[in-house]
Amino acid sequence: MASWKKSVAAILLLGITCLNGCGTTGTPDYPIQPVPFTDVEIDDSFWSPRMEMNREVTIPYALQMCEETGRIDNFAIAGGLMEGSHQGYYFNDSDVAKVIEGAAYSLALYPDPELEAYIDDVIDKIAAAQEEDGYLYTARTAMTPDHMPPGGEERWSHIEHGHELYNLGHMIEGAIAYYLATDKRQLLDVVLRSLDLVEEVFGPDGMRNPPGHQEIEIALGKLYRLTGEPRYLNLAKFFLDMRGDAEGHQLYGEYSQDHIPVTDQTEAVGHSVRAAYLYSGMADIAALTGDDRYVQAIDAIWQDAVSTKLYVTGGIGATGGNEGFSTPYALPNETAYSETCASIANAMWNHRMFLLHGDARYMDVAERVIYNAFLSGISLEGDRFFYSNRLATVNGEERAPWFPCACCPSNVVRFLPSLPGYIYAHAGNDLYVNLFISGTGIVRTDRGIVRISQKSGYPWDGRVTLQVAPERRSGMFTLHIRIPGWARNEAVPSDLYRFTDQNTEEPILQINGVQVPLTVENGYVIIRRRWQEEDEVVLDLPMPIRTVAAHENVVADRGKLSLQRGPLVYCGLLCRMARQREW
Ligand code: FUB
Ligand code: ZN
């Protein structure tokens, strides 16, 4: 394994690869570590075509759209490399950053000199756009009197809506990904200089505002892992702790989850992308600091979200007005907002909850999101997108080629190639199989490398064949295979949705051709044995078509059922039909 490939682990939460000698070794992190996507090879009839599509169509297409809509020119203009003034939204820099991140993930697995040269050129423009003291925000550097960002001329004057820190957060993630994929640190140096400035401006003795739109907290956690510099972890924690601190700033309110301190929050409220990035950041910072108060808060918030604010597709954020959460059980179908970015953030959050707790219920939610609310956000051709993912429509809805606010397409570009990192995880000698996607994973345990191969026709077919081959011919490992909630008669890990039909078919487990009793703990069947290279586990997950009803408090779903087969949610059925057939 090339050293850069190993180091890309940092991108997916946990890699501890330090630039200047490692300061984080031995410091806390998630108790369960994901197997990074660079150690996972996918060979799957469902996902491989989608990953290829992202590489061959969506990445170049998104770059082209960033060019055509002036997103890349904004950097060139701010850097004095071309004439003109800023175009579009003040957070458009973040789209370029997300596409760089996605392109970097792709380059990490599939070197492509032409793409790399193109990104190098974009990075030159970004570097040019950075002001002398490190300030990087084209919306202000290239503004005109009739086109100014929130807060006008004054830097940092509208942290609530200005997105300076949000843009920087995405740029940090792009810079880390690009550095790990290519060893080139120009963009990394740019963001480090920006952060020097941010540290001068924000802090206990400076501005005590959290960013209006969260994201930088996640980025700073990754940067801490990469550099070993506690200052980045401290800054992330500072931003978390400023939220809801009325002494430090005028509170922004629930919309930005800035109504009370994060450690006192118990309900999912406000803008759903901000919220799920916040909860992901809280999980990261809890893991990295060992501060359990963040975990207690996100546990309660998760319970609220999954019990009262989750669509059957896994989408979150019911209303367009606040692009976010509504009141409990208010889950309209025709007007469902269910933003694609919110689905991505929800999957990120649930994956982190699993890494904290090791319970399959979080991966049940993540799987529901990935196969439904997320996947509907992009066409099979890879160049058309949904921003809102409605659950019902009267006149039909078409995916669009792009949006003036293009957060969703650029988010898809970076999420898809990171997906293999959600399949496997490990903690010591406990190996976890969370998603059923054919291919192989290399798990680096304390007792050596274990290679897991998986074959399945998922999501169309429920037979999964696994081979666990320790490098040293045999080894004692505990394999945890997720038995999805839907295969255990649990539609979601709450009473928000339930199966209304009777299913008597049980999952069947065989080890080396012998059926063994299937006992489920925390949503996993657990197999502890001394594994030999030729050992084979076959799991059969029956996939009958199921009918799903919502909790009676969900007024919009009264008298309606949806159909589900395996992890795929299909459609709503009208009550009359449902009643006639006596479902
Ligand atoms: O504000 C940046 C992004 O644009 C948000 O995450 C989306 O909801 C959209 O408003
Ligand atoms: Zn979006």
Side-chain angles (χ1 to χ4, degrees):
M1 176 68 54
S3 64
W4 58 265
K5 268 199 157 190
K6 256 198 253 169
S7 62
V8 177
I11 298 168
L12 286 186
L13 307 175
L14 297 179
I16 300 178
T17 301
C18 302
L19 289 177
N20 311 310
C22 199
T24 54
T25 309
T27 56
D29 210 323
Y30 283 104
I32 301 178
Q33 310 212 346
V35 173
F37 73 86
T38 43
D39 279 344
V40 179
E41 216 164 278
I42 290 211
D43 180 12
D44 183 81
S45 61
F46 186 83
W47 285 106
S48 296
R50 286 167 171 83
M51 315 285 277
E52 266 161 46
M53 167 203 81
N54 191 58
R55 198 171 71 245
E56 285 170 7
V57 179
T58 317
I59 293 174
Y61 178 77
L63 287 168
Q64 181 198 329
M65 295 312 288
C66 283
E67 264 189 39
E68 284 178 16
T69 56
R71 282 167 164 81
I72 293 175
D73 284 352
N74 282 341
F75 290 103
I77 293 164
L81 303 177
M82 72 184 273
E83 292 289 307
S85 62
H86 184 270
Q87 301 173 52
Y89 283 113
Y90 43 93
F91 47 81
N92 279 1
D93 293 359
S94 64
D95 298 323
V96 178
K98 278 184 277 178
V99 179
I100 291 176
E101 187 184 341
Y105 293 165
S106 172
L107 287 170
L109 296 175
Y110 303 96
D112 176 344
E114 209 182 312
L115 176 62
E116 192 172 326
Y118 182 91
I119 301 289
D120 286 345
D121 188 55
V122 174
I123 291 174
D124 284 342
K125 291 176 180 148
I126 297 172
Q130 183 165 42
E131 297 191 26
E132 271 303 294
D133 63 356
Y135 190 68
L136 178 64
Y137 182 61
T138 66
R140 187 159 282 120
T141 308
M143 70 190 164
T144 52
D146 60 348
H147 185 72
M148 287 193 171
E153 285 181 7
E154 205 187 322
R155 290 175 176 187
W156 319 111
S157 56
H158 212 311
I159 297 301
E160 182 178 358
H161 290 298
H163 285 56
E164 278 146 311
L165 296 170
Y166 168 85
N167 287 359
L168 180 56
H170 277 304
M171 202 58 83
I172 295 168
E173 291 208 73
I176 295 173
Y178 199 65
Y179 166 71
L180 291 172
T182 64
D183 260 344
K184 293 178 182 167
R185 54 175 297 159
Q186 188 186 10
L187 189 56
L188 192 58
D189 288 335
V190 166
V191 299
L192 294 180
R193 282 211 308 130
S194 286
L195 281 169
D196 290 345
L197 177 67
V198 168
E199 280 180 321
E200 275 173 33
V201 175
F202 294 86
D205 303 321
M207 284 183 70
R208 290 170 57 191
N209 293 60
H213 196 313
Q214 300 84 338
E215 147 61 24
I216 197 168
E217 301 82 354
I218 296 172
L220 287 166
K222 287 187 180 181
L223 193 59
Y224 166 62
R225 290 193 181 96
L226 180 74
T227 61
E229 291 275 1
R231 53 190 274 218
Y232 300 125
L233 178 61
N234 294 340
L235 186 59
K237 189 165 170 11
F238 169 78
F239 284 141
L240 286 184
D241 294 343
M242 284 305 96
R243 214 163 278 284
D245 175 26
E247 282 174 21
H249 66 287
Q250 183 159 6
L251 298 185
Y252 317 146
E254 281 195 355
Y255 174 75
S256 297
Q257 299 79 33
D258 185 40
H259 50 306
I260 51 173
V262 292
T263 47
D264 293 340
Q265 297 192 22
T266 54
E267 289 173 16
V269 294
H271 185 276
S272 50
V273 185
R274 289 167 200 241
Y277 283 166
L278 168 66
Y279 309 147
S280 300
M282 286 166 70
D284 285 348
I285 305 311
L288 289 167
T289 59
D291 190 336
D292 201 42
R293 293 169 314 139
Y294 300 121
V295 180
Q296 284 170 21
I298 50 178
D299 281 352
I301 296 167
W302 184 87
Q303 204 60 57
D304 175 59
V306 168
S307 303
T308 69
K309 293 168 186 163
L310 183 79
Y311 277 107
V312 70
T313 53
I316 52 170
T319 41
N322 64 344
E323 295 194 299
F325 293 107
S326 185
T327 49
Y329 302 107
L331 292 163
N333 293 307
E334 287 86 349
T335 58
Y337 202 65
S338 185
E339 184 181 335
T340 303
C341 284
S343 295
I344 291 171
N346 197 21
M348 287 166 56
W349 176 31
N350 274 281
H351 184 225
R352 283 163 164 81
M353 295 298 282
F354 155 73
L355 297 173
L356 283 173
H357 294 304
D359 196 302
R361 71 175 103 164
Y362 305 108
M363 291 311 296
D364 284 349
V365 176
E367 178 185 82
R368 181 170 288 273
V369 177
I370 290 166
Y371 280 94
N372 299 286
F374 161 69
L375 210 45
S376 61
I378 182 163
S379 67
L380 282 173
E381 293 73 26
D383 58 358
R384 293 291 180 273
F385 309 91
F386 276 143
Y387 187 120
S388 306
N389 294 270
R390 313 283 188 215
L391 275 80
T393 171
V394 177
N395 298 318
E397 294 253 347
E398 293 285 337
R399 292 180 181 86
W402 197 249
F403 309 93
C405 168
C407 50
C408 297
S410 54
N411 227 347
V412 170
V413 165
R414 72 179 187 135
F415 182 71
L416 258 178
S418 74
L419 182 64
Y422 288 67
I423 303 176
Y424 305 107
H426 71 104
N429 293 312
D430 291 287
L431 315 187
Y432 292 83
V433 178
N434 277 321
L435 297 179
F436 303 115
I437 298 178
S438 295
T440 50
I442 308 283
V443 192
R444 298 168 198 284
T445 75
D446 302 343
R447 292 199 198 160
I449 290 176
V450 182
R451 187 184 161 88
I452 304 188
S453 353
Q454 193 182 153
K455 269 206 174 58
S456 92
Y458 209 82
W460 315 118
D461 182 86
R463 168 160 285 210
V464 179
T465 304
L466 290 162
Q467 277 170 334
V468 181
E471 198 182 38
R472 293 195 206 129
R473 290 191 48 217
S474 80
M476 196 71 166
F477 296 104
T478 306
L479 186 64
H480 302 240
I481 311 172
R482 187 173 66 94
I483 305 297
W486 57 260
R488 291 184 279 106
N489 281 314
E490 182 185 274
V492 287
S494 72
D495 64 357
L496 187 53
Y497 301 100
R498 65 181 194 286
F499 291 117
T500 58
D501 53 356
Q502 298 299 319
N503 174 41
T504 48
E505 293 177 77
E506 296 286 334
I508 295 172
L509 180 73
Q510 296 174 57
I511 302 177
N512 296 330
V514 179
Q515 188 172 337
V516 294
L518 193 146
T519 327
V520 177
E521 248 177 67
N522 295 330
Y524 292 94
V525 59
I526 297 172
I527 310 167
R528 182 172 156 74
R529 60 188 271 127
R530 185 166 292 281
W531 295 90
Q532 312 280 346
E533 204 174 322
E534 53 288 348
D535 282 344
E536 185 175 86
V537 176
V538 177
L539 175 66
D540 275 298
L541 300 167
M543 283 190 176
I545 298 167
R546 309 293 307 269
T547 50
V548 185
H551 190 287
E552 59 177 11
N553 289 353
V554 184
V555 175
D557 287 349
R558 280 191 193 151
K560 295 191 177 82
L561 297 171
S562 60
L563 295 180
Q564 182 171 342
R565 182 172 183 276
L568 300 177
V569 175
Y570 283 85
C571 61
L573 291 179
L574 291 176
C575 56
R576 213 167 337 116
M577 189 170 157
R579 279 206 209 102
Q580 273 169 7
R581 304 237 171 124
E582 292 178 354
W583 292 97

